[in-house]
Amino acid sequence: MSTKINPFTTETLQVRWAHLHAPDNQFGEDASNHNITVVVDAQLQTQLDTLQKENGAKKINGLREDEDGITLLKAKSKVFVKKGTAAFPCRDAKAEMTEATPFGGDTVRLRLAPMVLSRDNSMSVFLN
């Protein structure tokens, strides 16, 4: 059984890529999801390392380095795809619902829900 970890909200992060305006179906309709890739700063890296250690996960899924050695995190969600919602619901700086979605270069705060997966004891980080 997978272990859910309490969700948390990040500090402001730079967006590298986002697919929140519509589901990303690059790998077929069954794999459709909303996702966002952000630059991992020192604070987020510390949070992720702590969660990994505290929960005994062997690795964190969605973390990678780009060609310049910058660490990126890709977080996904299928919840709103399954509900038939085109765009992932976003909030603005005043926490009000907005139809605007972030793209590369924007800054965001994310609500992330980590989970240790029972299949391989890795930790995935989902958009919440």
Side-chain angles (χ1 to χ4, degrees):
M1 181 173 181
S2 296
T3 305
K4 292 182 180 182
I5 301 168
N6 289 333
F8 66 96
T9 302
T10 68
E11 292 300 320
T12 303
L13 301 169
Q14 181 183 15
V15 176
R16 184 59 62 92
W17 177 259
H19 225 300
L20 300 177
H21 62 289
D24 179 358
N25 58 7
Q26 178 181 1
F27 299 105
E29 291 299 319
D30 291 343
S32 291
N33 63 71
H34 292 101
N35 60 67
I36 188 166
T37 302
V38 294
V39 175
V40 177
D41 63 10
Q43 184 174 5
L44 179 56
Q45 187 66 60
T46 299
Q47 287 176 297
L48 293 172
D49 290 344
T50 300
L51 287 169
Q52 180 181 7
K53 184 177 179 180
E54 288 176 351
N55 293 282
K58 69 176 185 178
K59 70 174 189 165
I60 300 173
N61 300 317
L63 276 181
R64 67 175 178 88
E65 282 192 12
D66 70 4
E67 60 278 354
D68 297 322
I70 296 171
T71 302
L72 304 174
L73 173 68
K74 183 175 187 176
K76 304 177 185 182
S77 175
K78 286 188 171 196
V79 172
F80 293 97
V81 172
K82 290 178 181 178
K83 291 181 178 181
T85 305
F88 190 86
C90 296
R91 296 184 178 270
D92 62 18
K94 296 180 182 177
E96 301 291 331
M97 293 301 293
T98 180
E99 291 186 16
T101 56
F103 286 95
D106 291 341
T107 56
V108 296
R109 292 179 66 206
L110 300 176
R111 179 92 171 141
L112 299 175
M115 179 184 294
V116 177
L117 306 176
S118 59
R119 71 171 184 239
D120 63 357
N121 201 42
S122 65
M123 185 172 71
S124 289
V125 182
F126 298 96
L127 285 173
N128 184 257

